[in-house]
Amino acid sequence: MLYNYKKEIMNKLDDGSISGLSMEHQFTFECKTACMGRCCNSITILLDPWDIEIMARQLNITGREFLAEYCKYDFSPELKWPYVRLKHAEDGPCIFMLEDGRCEIYTARSRNCRTYPIGRAVRFEQDGKKIERVFMVDKMDFCLGHKCEKSWTVKEWLDDAECEKFYELSDLYLELIHYATSQLNSRVWMNRNIAQMLMPLLYGPDLLRNKLGLSEEYLSHEEFYRRRIKALKVILMDIAAGFGYGPVERAEEGMGLGGSIMDRIKELLVKG
């Protein structure tokens, strides 16, 4: 359902049903005290690995603990890929919403939370080219943000939200999913069990650091994330080769489903 929704948004942007915005497009918006927190109720907030890592560090817990306490983990039957969303926000008030409606983890909030009411859609073409579009999210009746005089350009809004790094690192993950589905035929062989094997690379940086002895002094959080995404790509190539898919050269050198995946991961993360 979520995968179809994303495709629908991009299709509507392509056919003009939803208007795409330029970075210089001007709009008025400002969060009002009177409606603070109303947008944090009964809403689906998708989280990518970097979102979760940032929020978990803000709360001083591990990624696995954050997943268990605050998230719903599921597996998309259309995309054949795991995805995560905020549990409490979907079922009612977000657990991070304070009594006055403000956010307990505001500085670490997810990219979707920090850029509202601007939405962003990304698609990768068959040749790997990235198509990026921004748009105005549908106005909610309860939201008073548009009823103000403070004016922004889209660029000013996104800069103020400090979302550039979030978008950059999120796109690395989206590009990985595109590669797996378009080049490695992962929709044929990916399943919940294989997805579970990928969990440490996606959401367990603390676990991997402890197991492999990779301190924060040795690898910064951002560099470790980048290396995990690169390692995931190679591991997926190995697995795909075991099923007879992916680049031809991997068929001979790939480990497939045999061998020690943890040894392979350590080699990739240390080498960078």
Side-chain angles (χ1 to χ4, degrees), residues 45-224:
I45 301 293
L46 292 176
L47 303 174
D48 66 22
W50 186 247
D51 287 325
I52 290 173
E53 185 173 337
I54 290 291
M55 289 190 283
R57 288 209 307 271
Q58 176 84 357
L59 295 169
N60 198 28
I61 60 176
T62 67
R64 291 168 295 150
E65 289 170 333
F66 187 91
L67 275 178
E69 182 68 23
Y70 302 112
C71 299
K72 288 183 178 181
Y73 171 87
D74 212 335
F75 187 80
S76 168
E78 302 98 350
L79 191 60
K80 294 293 182 70
W81 196 268
Y83 65 96
V84 175
R85 54 205 198 276
L86 271 180
K87 177 168 58 178
H88 302 88
E90 189 166 89
D91 296 334
C94 178
I95 197 169
F96 299 120
M97 187 169 64
L98 301 172
E99 288 186 8
D100 63 359
R102 298 181 186 275
C103 180
E104 178 187 356
I105 57 169
Y106 185 77
T107 58
R109 66 199 187 282
S110 75
R111 69 196 187 286
N112 291 325
C113 293
R114 67 180 54 234
T115 61
Y116 180 85
I118 299 298
R120 179 174 179 264
V122 173
R123 177 181 68 223
F124 288 91
E125 300 292 300
Q126 194 63 29
D127 61 1
K129 179 182 177 182
K130 181 174 74 174
I131 306 297
E132 175 185 4
R133 308 285 295 279
V134 294
F135 58 96
M136 190 69 66
V137 176
D138 289 340
K139 296 179 182 180
M140 302 297 181
D141 292 338
F142 59 74
C143 179
L144 304 178
H146 293 279
K147 300 175 182 179
C148 70
E149 297 180 357
K150 187 165 185 178
S151 179
W152 311 76
T153 66
V154 171
K155 184 180 187 307
E156 287 170 342
W157 181 261
L158 297 180
D159 286 347
D160 186 72
E162 299 180 335
C163 66
E164 182 178 0
K165 185 63 66 177
F166 282 81
Y167 280 164
E168 178 190 353
L169 298 182
S170 173
D171 287 355
L172 290 179
Y173 182 53
L174 294 178
E175 186 176 13
L176 172 74
I177 297 174
H178 168 75
Y179 181 79
T181 54
S182 66
Q183 302 298 317
L184 302 180
N185 297 289
S186 60
R187 292 185 201 176
V188 176
W189 48 264
M190 179 66 77
N191 56 43
R192 291 178 181 271
N193 291 333
I194 295 176
Q196 194 67 30
M197 292 165 50
L198 307 179
M199 290 290 282
L201 282 168
L202 288 173
Y203 306 112
D206 319 85
L207 173 67
L208 288 176
R209 283 188 186 277
N210 292 336
K211 271 187 173 293
L212 305 178
L214 301 175
S215 68
E216 294 175 23
E217 290 73 24
Y218 177 71
L219 279 177
S220 69
H221 293 299
E222 183 180 327
E223 176 61 22
F224 193 41

